[in-house]
């Protein structure tokens, strides 16, 4: 029988290991999907803010397997200049890709939050949550983007994750909390008795008043200015991009 009744149960169990992560400067960030249910329960138990973190990979049409960067909200960009050079990627094709991905990201943000802005992360500690981690990529990218948004400490919390995936996250997270780490990559249906899908409507409902209350909240020392990294000032990820 799967060890977790559902993702809420997993969130409750994680909360028992994260009691130090409390206060106005802590934000629980979920990857969209089943992880939002885990994160919602965790945030409620810790009495901290809840949000989703949105990140999309960037690859031009003629080189779909060559990811040259990441796009986050507020047009935040992380660019792997080595990949750009390797693929001889010109400005026009990169701009086309970035505009197309931005439309998708903006649509997703509206689906989850409506007109509400994201929770500001400047000078905050974030806990990035997913429900079942088979590989490190998505959570790794979320860690990178959280730091670009101003987070000063990044933790990862997952109910279950493959050992190789956890190892891949070590360079990007200050702390990793995992309840179960099987040798083989896990599958959600073997760990959750109730593995019903999580829809955009479900996510919007879970964010609900938590996000609305957070929209005007700022951490100590934050002056309210947005930390936006436009394409002209993108951060190079040379040397850290796997």
């Amino acid at each position: 029988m799967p060890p977790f009744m559902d993702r809420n149960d997993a969130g409750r169990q994680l909360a028992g290991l994260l009691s130090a992560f409390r206060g106005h400067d802590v934000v629980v960030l979920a990857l969209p999907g089943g992880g939002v249910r885990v994160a919602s329960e965790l945030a409620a138990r810790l009495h901290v803010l809840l949000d989703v973190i949105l990140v999309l990979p960037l690859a031009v049409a003629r080189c779909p397997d060559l990811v040259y960067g990441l796009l986050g909200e507020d047009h935040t960009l992380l660019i792997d200049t080595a990949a750009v050079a390797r693929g001889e990627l010109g400005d026009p094709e990169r701009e086309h890709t970035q505009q197309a991905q931005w439309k998708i990201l903006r649509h997703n943000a509206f689906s989850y939050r409506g007109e509400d802005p994201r929770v500001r992360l400047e000078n905050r500690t974030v806990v990035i949550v997913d429900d079942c981690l088979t590989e490190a990529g998505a959570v790794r990218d979320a860690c990178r983007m959280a730091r670009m948004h101003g987070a000063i400490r990044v933790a990862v919390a997952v109910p279950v994750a493959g050992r190789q995936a956890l190892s891949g996250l070590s360079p990007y997270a200050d702390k990793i909390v995992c309840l179960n780490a099987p040798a083989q990559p896990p599958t959600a249906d073997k760990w959750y008795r109730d593995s019903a899908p999580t829809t955009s409507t479900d996510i919007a409902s879970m964010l609900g008043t938590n996000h609305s209350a957070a929209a005007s909240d700022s951490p100590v020392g934050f002056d309210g200015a947005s930390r936006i990294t436009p394409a002209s000032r993108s951060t190079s990820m040379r040397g850290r991009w796997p």
Side-chain angles (χ1 to χ4, degrees):
M1 180 176 293
F4 300 116
M5 290 187 295
D6 53 24
R7 287 164 174 81
N8 297 87
D9 177 38
R12 286 190 290 271
Q13 293 190 40
L14 274 175
L17 300 180
L18 291 164
S19 59
F21 288 81
R22 298 177 183 270
H24 72 277
D25 62 336
V26 177
V27 182
V28 172
L29 296 176
L31 274 67
V36 182
R37 294 189 185 278
V38 180
S40 178
E41 185 67 31
L42 177 61
R45 296 273 169 164
L46 298 178
H47 303 287
V48 299
L49 301 176
L50 170 69
D51 201 359
V52 289
I53 185 162
L54 305 180
V55 188
L56 291 177
L58 297 171
V60 302
R62 67 179 176 85
C63 302
D65 296 328
L66 180 62
V67 175
Y68 72 84
L70 301 172
L71 174 67
E73 294 187 80
D74 300 333
H75 289 283
T76 305
L77 285 167
L78 288 83
I79 300 298
D80 179 3
T81 54
V84 171
R86 189 163 63 251
E88 299 181 341
L89 308 180
D91 290 342
E93 61 183 343
R94 287 192 287 120
E95 182 64 24
H96 176 77
T97 294
Q98 287 152 209
Q99 288 300 321
Q101 291 292 73
W102 171 244
K103 290 179 181 179
I104 295 172
L105 191 148
R106 185 173 57 183
H107 170 80
N108 291 344
F110 183 80
S111 297
Y112 303 142
R113 305 194 199 99
E115 297 292 347
D116 288 340
R118 65 178 176 85
V119 173
R120 310 309 299 183
L121 302 184
E122 288 85 350
N123 299 319
R124 280 181 153 151
T125 292
V126 302
V127 182
I128 295 175
V129 177
D130 205 357
D131 59 342
C132 183
L133 201 59
T134 58
E135 58 92 31
V139 173
R140 175 200 62 205
D141 295 344
C143 291
R144 288 167 161 166
M145 191 56 64
R147 293 192 192 277
M148 284 296 294
H149 286 320
I152 58 174
R153 188 183 183 200
V154 176
V156 171
V158 288
V160 57
R163 293 175 194 170
Q164 186 173 358
L166 291 176
S167 176
L169 290 175
S170 295
Y172 304 96
D174 300 302
K175 183 179 181 65
I176 299 174
V177 175
C178 180
L179 295 172
N180 301 276
Q184 298 301 315
T187 57
D189 60 350
K190 293 184 178 178
W191 288 87
Y192 296 98
R193 295 177 219 174
D194 178 1
S195 56
T198 301
T199 67
S200 296
T201 302
D202 295 331
I203 293 172
S205 177
M206 283 181 278
L207 293 182
T209 56
N210 185 308
H211 187 86
S212 296
S216 61
D217 182 65
S218 299
V220 174
F222 175 46
D223 62 7
S226 297
R227 173 173 170 158
I228 300 176
T229 306
S232 61
R233 295 192 294 114
S234 301
T235 294
S236 169
M237 298 195 69
R238 184 190 299 273
R240 292 202 63 186
W241 197 276

